Amino acid sequence: MTAMTLPTDTPRRRSRWPLFLMPILLLIVAAAWSVFWFYAASQAEVKADAWRAQEAKSGRSYDCAKQSIGGFPFRLEVRCEGARVTLTSQTAGAAQPVTINLGEILAVAQVYDPKLLIAEFRAPAVVSESQNAPAMQVNWKTARASVVGLPAIPQRASIVFDDVAINRTNNSVQVPVARAKHVELHGRLAEGSTLKDPVIESVLRIESGSVQEVHPLLARPFAAEIHAKLSGLKDLVPKPWPARFRELQSNGGHVEIVQSRIQQDDLIAVAAGTLALNAQGRIDGELQMTVAGIEKVIPALGIEKMLEQGVPQAALDRVAPGVKSQDVTNLLGALDKAIPGLGKVVKQNANLGVAAGINALGKEAVLEGKPARTFPLRFADGIVYLGPLKVGEVPPLF
């Protein structure tokens, strides 16, 4: 018999498709993501144009000498070089444009979280009202901003500056106006607030700040933190500031200073209260202040200068009823005639009397472990009173 041979199984050839499947899927995903990114970029440009058109209706126009969109694959970056912002308000029926020229604005949003926008600004910024008016130049080391809630109504916004310097340019000469090591401004819709009746809650922080040409007290470095709430808004639609202030006044709006703290050398002051606008656009209201070290700043209030110009009768009526302002002026002149220099000594030592008078107005208190006094800081038709003394004036806001 012939032996039978059994057939042997021939090996099957493995399909190579699984080896190519993953790269093909990755290519498809990459292509789909690229299409999505470029679509999102085009939509970002469309929305930016729509936003600029909406802002222009409110008197704010934004232009770029050169605009580009990048950030592929996960971010959207809109870079605006040679940025120019023009703000136009109506005052006495005449348009008064204010122009702000910036070096560059870079706005960044993540493709997967378009409601969060982060922006960086390159210095300097030049602010001017007309060709002949002195311009303001603002410089900084870093400037960043963030907005949450776009493209709808923003729910929260912040802006931060480091090493800020504001100068006024007059005939090519830089005149210092303000300085600050660090500035933060945060704002958000207050809890329970609605878009039909919004209440804005804000916090301002300033480190090593100083302001020139306003009041001697502000010329020395100070630190400040102010927590405030603004109510009386009808909506959050962008509007020129004068129109917004008029709206607040007509709607019974006000600013509640929830808490504030200012420190300058040995002076520490905390305050809280409510301020509002009257029909003339001036500030009315009162803040309850607690101050430690107020005797250190009395000389900076200008008491000697006030005596030279004549003591306001209203101030005398509060601290010395029946005494006439002209009588005080005549007395100081007579002292100088009798003994040259004596009137000046009286003026200089008047600071001690004013300090005692202000202390007598308030109540004893303790602030951060230091002896302090509590008294009101009044705003009446824009004029600021510390006790009986006029210490400043705020111009009309519309």
Side-chain angles (χ1 to χ4, degrees):
M1 291 181 63
T2 303
M4 297 179 61
T5 58
L6 298 174
T8 59
D9 296 335
T10 57
R12 296 181 179 179
R13 297 180 63 183
R14 291 186 176 180
S15 175
R16 295 184 179 181
W17 277 107
L19 299 176
F20 297 102
L21 182 60
M22 186 57 67
I24 291 173
L25 290 176
L26 289 176
L27 285 174
I28 294 174
V29 171
W33 182 262
S34 299
V35 171
F36 168 73
W37 186 91
F38 283 105
Y39 172 76
S42 65
Q43 289 299 303
E45 193 166 4
V46 170
K47 290 179 179 179
D49 291 340
W51 176 77
R52 279 198 291 262
Q54 178 183 354
E55 286 286 286
K57 294 179 181 178
S58 299
R60 294 181 288 268
S61 63
Y62 302 83
D63 298 299
C64 298
K66 180 181 178 181
Q67 179 176 301
S68 60
I69 297 180
F72 182 83
F74 300 112
R75 303 199 306 177
L76 288 173
E77 297 181 355
V78 179
R79 189 180 300 273
C80 176
E81 300 178 25
R84 183 184 180 91
V85 182
T86 303
L87 310 176
T88 304
S89 61
Q90 295 296 323
T91 304
Q96 296 183 346
V98 176
T99 303
I100 305 173
N101 290 292
L102 284 160
E104 181 183 270
I105 300 176
L106 175 62
V108 179
Q110 303 295 336
V111 176
Y112 50 83
D113 188 13
K115 291 187 177 182
L116 171 62
L117 180 68
I118 298 173
E120 295 181 356
F121 308 93
R122 190 177 71 191
V126 179
V127 184
S128 57
E129 293 186 3
S130 66
Q131 294 181 352
N132 298 324
M136 304 288 286
Q137 187 175 82
V138 186
N139 277 283
W140 57 83
K141 182 178 180 181
T142 59
R144 306 171 300 278
S146 64
V147 181
V148 177
L150 293 174
I153 297 296
Q155 298 175 346
R156 186 169 67 251
S158 300
I159 188 166
V160 179
F161 289 92
D162 290 319
D163 295 330
V164 186
I166 303 176
N167 298 320
R168 185 178 66 254
T169 304
N170 194 356
N171 296 328
S172 302
V173 178
Q174 297 286 330
V175 180
V177 174
R179 298 287 187 271
K181 184 67 176 177
H182 184 79
V183 179
E184 294 182 25
L185 178 60
H186 306 274
R188 66 172 186 176
L189 284 173
E191 187 175 353
S193 177
T194 63
L195 295 180
K196 293 183 179 180
D197 186 21
V199 176
I200 305 299
E201 188 173 6
S202 63
V203 176
L204 172 65
R205 296 188 181 95
I206 301 174
E207 296 179 11
S208 298
S210 62
V211 181
Q212 308 296 325
E213 301 180 357
V214 175
H215 195 281
L217 285 177
L218 300 178
R220 299 201 312 273
F222 62 88
E225 181 168 342
I226 302 171
H227 176 198
K229 287 185 178 181
L230 174 64
S231 61
L233 298 172
K234 294 182 179 179
D235 51 52
L236 296 178
V237 177
K239 297 178 182 178
W241 282 112
R244 180 66 76 185
F245 287 133
R246 288 190 183 93
E247 173 189 299
L248 286 171
Q249 194 277 328
S250 62
N251 206 34
H254 62 271
V255 175
E256 178 190 358
I257 307 297
V258 180
Q259 186 178 14
S260 65
R261 182 185 186 275
I262 298 176
Q263 181 169 4
Q264 184 185 70
D265 300 327
D266 295 331
L267 172 72
I268 301 175
V270 298
T274 302
L275 303 175
L277 292 174
N278 60 24
Q280 289 72 42
R282 295 183 177 273
I283 298 178
D284 287 331
E286 185 175 293
L287 302 179
Q288 287 296 321
M289 296 189 66
T290 300
V291 183
I294 191 172
E295 67 279 356
K296 303 290 181 66
V297 300
I298 290 298
L301 293 176
I303 306 305
E304 181 180 353
K305 184 177 180 180
M306 183 181 70
L307 289 175
E308 290 176 352
Q309 296 176 346
V311 182
Q313 188 62 52
L316 275 175
D317 289 341
R318 293 177 185 275
V319 296
V323 178
K324 300 300 181 183
S325 174
Q326 188 60 41
D327 294 340
V328 175
T329 303
N330 294 339
L331 175 61
L332 293 174
L335 289 174
D336 274 328
K337 289 181 180 179
I339 304 178
L342 181 57
K344 183 177 181 181
V345 172
V346 173
K347 295 174 187 176
Q348 292 173 341
N349 285 278
N351 290 324
L352 299 176
V354 171
I358 291 178
N359 283 334
L361 292 175
K363 300 179 180 178
E364 291 186 359
V366 177
L367 179 60
E368 299 182 11
K370 299 180 179 181
R373 305 293 296 188
T374 298
F375 49 81
L377 180 69
R378 296 186 304 108
F379 292 77
D381 200 30
I383 300 176
V384 187
Y385 293 97
L386 180 64
L389 298 174
K390 174 185 174 181
V391 296
E393 185 171 358
V394 182
L397 298 183
F398 61 79

